[in-house]
Amino acid sequence: MDTLGWREWGALPELGISAIKMKVDTGARTSCLHAFRLEPFSNQGEEWLRIWLHPEQHSDRELVCEAKIHDQREVTDSGGHTEMRYVILTRLHAGNFDAPVELTLTNRDTMKFRMLLGRQAMRGHFVVDPDKSYLLGQPGATA
């Protein structure tokens, strides 16, 4: 099992995100990705989303990607607010981990991290050392 710090780098290659900072959040059941605009559409009879996001902190650079809708769920955030969110299933690459994870989509413009890594994605793959950061290295970086 790999060890994570309280923040890590990951990549979401199916969404065209080669590097994104993630806050490791053992209090969150499902992982979450920042999206400031969502547009549902039909693709060959399946429900998909066009997703607009700012993948980097402190940047207005926009990325538009598309993903099949996996689910819709009611999610309660850390402030106790409940909202209905779209859920997508996409591949996460972080260190030696490379597997599909569920991501809820919500606007995180006011949050420091564009992505939260929740318990479902970590379970059975990682342990967390809250005193450390970036133990997995940055995707695409060579040692």
Side-chain angles (χ1 to χ4, degrees), residues 6-9 20-24 32-34 54-58 106-117 133-134:
W6 72 272
R7 57 187 171 175
E8 290 292 342
W9 284 100
I20 189 166
K21 286 183 184 177
M22 306 179 294
K23 180 179 179 189
V24 175
C32 177
L33 180 65
H34 163 69
H54 300 123
E56 295 122 19
Q57 296 166 267
H58 315 298
T106 193
N107 191 322
R108 295 184 53 79
D109 264 336
T110 61
M111 304 297 185
K112 186 172 179 183
F113 289 87
R114 299 302 187 206
M115 183 174 164
L116 295 180
L117 184 64
S133 294
Y134 306 121

Side-chain angles (χ1 to χ4, degrees), residues 1-134:
M1 231 183 275
D2 286 329
T3 301
L4 298 174
W6 72 272
R7 57 187 171 175
E8 290 292 342
W9 284 100
L12 301 167
E14 295 169 341
L15 302 180
I17 300 173
S18 58
I20 189 166
K21 286 183 184 177
M22 306 179 294
K23 180 179 179 189
V24 175
D25 188 350
T26 60
R29 181 175 166 266
T30 308
S31 300
C32 177
L33 180 65
H34 163 69
F36 66 87
R37 181 176 167 203
L38 299 170
E39 181 180 283
F41 68 97
S42 184
N43 181 0
Q44 299 180 352
E46 295 181 321
E47 293 301 312
W48 282 62
L49 278 176
R50 194 160 291 114
I51 305 160
W52 282 261
L53 52 100
H54 300 123
E56 295 122 19
Q57 296 166 267
H58 315 298
S59 171
D60 288 334
R61 184 177 81 84
E62 287 185 15
L63 177 66
V64 181
C65 51
E66 297 177 350
K68 184 179 172 185
I69 296 172
H70 179 65
D71 197 5
Q72 273 190 284
R73 300 191 185 128
E74 226 175 55
V75 176
T76 304
D77 67 19
S78 60
H81 306 100
T82 300
E83 71 174 337
M84 187 61 77
R85 292 186 191 172
Y86 285 106
V87 182
I88 62 171
L89 189 63
T90 193
R91 206 170 99 238
L92 169 66
H93 177 77
N96 295 321
F97 181 84
D98 192 350
V101 296
E102 287 186 345
L103 294 175
T104 66
L105 302 170
T106 193
N107 191 322
R108 295 184 53 79
D109 264 336
T110 61
M111 304 297 185
K112 186 172 179 183
F113 289 87
R114 299 302 187 206
M115 183 174 164
L116 295 180
L117 184 64
R119 292 188 312 270
Q120 278 184 329
M122 290 185 265
R123 186 173 289 124
H125 303 284
F126 298 106
V127 293
V128 179
D129 182 342
D131 289 328
K132 306 284 188 202
S133 294
Y134 306 121

